[in-house]
Amino acid sequence: MRKLSLENPEIIDILNHQVIHMDQGITYTPEYLATRKMSNYPSRTAQIIRSVYLGELDASEYGAEMVFSPILSGQGERWQNFGEKPEGYLLSVMLGRELFYNKGQKKEELDALKAQIDKNNGYLEKSATDIEAWEEALPINADSKTGLLLDEATFTYAKRSREKIGEFLQAKGITVSEFGPYFTGFDLLASGFINEGIETVKALITMWEEKGIRKIITLCGQSHYLFTGLLKYLDLDTEIEFISILDLAEGMNVEKAYIYGGSYFTRYAQKATVLNNLLVNTEETPLSSHPEFLPEVEGDKKKNIVGIWTPPLCAEYHTAGTSEMLKETIYTQSLATIEETSFKKLVVCDPFAWKALKDYNYPDLSVRLRHWPVLLRGCFYG
């Protein structure tokens, strides 16, 4: 039996916990805030998944809309109040999507995503020219036992950061023998293609191990969390050490900034403290007026305290079967909440959020927006 399966009592226990949610979380669930429908509340979605699995309900089109609506941000879920692990709802929805797909729902959308992945050996088509540009920017050493997990999204959406990432690694005295770009399989898992996702992750680990890689530096929250938080649920293990580039940094060069950490860095990978330590005000005064759970400060470096409640701008993976109108409404509402804080620069720590801001024509891109790698300080430069 596959470990990540509704046949596993451990996983069913996780699903049962998601059914027993707490209604005060409604205020923070981005899908509910976008629709004001209880069908977009996590516990209701978990109930539908469990009932279909138990044969109490048919896998209807209405139920499929509920199961494929979540952007899997970890926001407005029971773990934030009960101090539990953040992946309970994430795993439940992944398996729910597999269940509904196997019962004939969302076939067209998911088959299109799968076909695109099969065509490109990943979700996104990878330009040979861009691969060469990344190779020129990075400190490559064929004998190095360290690899760089250059994920597809960073490779494509944040490619202008490549020189700064290369300079940062070089300043740290780090060389890499492998860098990708890699399709990690997270999009498959998130869409309900569990077997295919597990095989993709397993193949990457096997390849790195066969090449003698002992350490992998990750660049985004999603890939870091996949290889540090989710492996055990996929029944996979490795002695490779995965290190977030955030843990190697010593600071950022920016003033009066709002740090948008992203869902996978802050909620899943639990890097909020690390992000806060990268930008420390010389003097700091807490402000009494701010959105709930989103503390603001008056300071020279940053204007917000990064935490687990910052509203998500978008899904941090490639969605299939999720309404475009829902995604746009979530983006608009979350950005409005973030902009209640007065800041000079919006520091974006996720490539999907970076793309969303550009796609939705965030104003004054060149002045107000920064992708975080260009701001990192290493050992020898500032």
Side-chain angles (χ1 to χ4, degrees):
M1 181 183 70
R2 194 181 71 198
K3 183 174 182 179
L4 183 55
S5 168
L6 293 174
E7 299 293 323
N8 183 349
E10 178 187 351
I11 300 300
I12 278 293
D13 185 59
I14 290 173
L15 176 58
N16 287 337
H17 273 73
Q18 300 312 305
V19 171
I20 310 168
H21 198 6
M22 47 192 303
D23 287 344
Q24 64 249 48
I26 288 176
T27 313
Y28 311 101
T29 304
E31 297 84 5
Y32 172 80
L33 292 176
T35 65
R36 297 295 176 177
K37 294 180 179 178
M38 285 302 295
S39 58
N40 289 117
Y41 188 53
S43 63
R44 304 304 188 267
T45 300
Q47 287 170 359
I48 292 295
I49 292 169
R50 187 175 67 174
S51 294
V52 171
Y53 170 69
L54 294 174
E56 298 168 348
L57 289 175
D58 292 332
S60 65
E61 184 176 346
Y62 178 77
E65 291 301 321
M66 292 176 64
V67 173
F68 282 86
S69 288
I71 63 170
L72 305 180
S73 66
Q75 176 79 325
E77 297 171 16
R78 60 172 282 130
W79 74 272
Q80 289 172 302
N81 290 288
F82 289 133
E84 299 169 346
K85 294 180 180 179
E87 59 265 12
Y89 187 62
L90 172 72
L91 296 172
S92 298
V93 173
M94 286 178 175
L95 290 169
R97 290 173 177 177
E98 179 185 47
L99 176 68
F100 271 76
Y101 175 80
N102 288 339
K103 290 182 177 294
Q105 294 294 339
K106 295 291 184 179
K107 285 281 188 180
E108 183 177 350
E109 295 95 327
L110 267 68
D111 286 345
L113 178 137
K114 184 68 165 51
Q116 186 168 356
I117 289 171
D118 292 342
K119 174 186 174 185
N120 297 327
N121 192 27
Y123 182 81
L124 299 169
E125 186 173 354
K126 302 169 189 70
S127 159
T129 302
D130 284 338
I131 293 175
E132 291 175 3
W134 275 94
E135 188 170 13
E136 290 176 5
L138 297 174
I140 305 296
N141 176 2
D143 296 326
S144 174
K145 300 300 182 183
T146 300
L148 181 70
L149 203 171
L150 174 58
D151 56 279
E152 280 192 331
T154 300
F155 170 78
T156 304
Y157 304 145
K159 55 189 173 185
R160 292 184 181 179
S161 300
R162 59 190 172 222
E163 284 80 12
K164 290 297 182 181
I165 291 173
E167 290 173 11
F168 174 82
L169 294 174
Q170 193 164 16
K172 286 286 186 182
I174 297 172
T175 60
V176 297
S177 56
E178 291 286 325
F179 69 92
Y182 300 112
F183 173 69
T184 66
F186 188 87
D187 295 340
L188 289 168
L189 293 168
S191 300
F193 291 115
I194 307 299
N195 291 327
E196 295 89 338
I198 291 173
E199 287 305 310
T200 301
V201 176
K202 183 178 180 180
L204 282 176
I205 291 173
T206 299
M207 178 196 68
W208 289 327
E209 289 177 339
E210 289 177 348
K211 292 185 176 183
I213 298 296
R214 296 172 185 168
K215 294 182 179 180
I216 294 282
I217 298 169
T218 61
L219 294 177
C220 78
Q222 182 218 93
S223 58
H224 186 78
Y225 178 67
L226 172 60
F227 287 95
T228 59
L230 287 184
L231 281 190
K232 62 181 178 181
Y233 296 102
L234 308 183
D235 207 13
L236 298 174
D237 192 18
T238 181
E239 292 186 2
I240 296 173
E241 181 183 6
F242 292 88
I243 305 167
S244 171
I245 194 170
L246 294 181
D247 291 316
L248 299 174
E250 296 182 0
M252 293 186 187
N253 289 322
V254 66
E255 294 181 349
K256 297 190 180 300
Y258 187 105
I259 301 178
Y260 177 81
S263 295
Y264 284 85
F265 264 146
T266 60
R267 284 183 274 274
Y268 289 107
Q270 304 282 291
K271 294 291 184 185
T273 299
V274 175
L275 284 165
N276 281 317
N277 289 340
L278 290 179
L279 199 58
V280 179
N281 288 317
T282 305
E283 293 185 4
E284 183 175 285
T285 304
L287 300 180
S288 57
S289 177
H290 56 79
E292 190 173 23
F293 295 152
L294 299 176
E296 298 176 24
V297 295
E298 185 58 50
D300 55 331
K301 301 294 184 182
K302 67 182 176 187
K303 304 288 285 184
N304 71 309
I305 304 299
V306 184
I308 63 171
W309 292 97
T310 304
L313 290 170
C314 62
E316 295 176 14
Y317 65 96
H318 296 102
T319 61
T322 305
S323 159
E324 292 299 322
M325 183 177 295
L326 175 66
K327 291 190 286 187
E328 183 174 354
T329 304
I330 289 172
Y331 167 84
T332 302
Q333 292 182 343
S334 295
L335 183 61
T337 300
I338 290 168
E339 291 204 315
E340 288 183 35
T341 300
S342 176
F343 56 86
K344 184 178 179 181
K345 303 263 190 231
L346 180 59
V347 178
V348 184
C349 300
D350 179 78
F352 288 94
W354 177 258
K355 181 178 185 295
L357 286 157
K358 295 175 72 175
D359 287 349
Y360 289 117
N361 299 313
Y362 185 74
D364 301 324
L365 276 174
S366 61
V367 177
R368 299 192 69 206
L369 200 61
R370 289 290 183 273
H371 190 232
W372 64 272
V374 307
L375 305 171
L376 289 182
R377 288 204 311 271
C379 288
F380 310 118
Y381 76 103

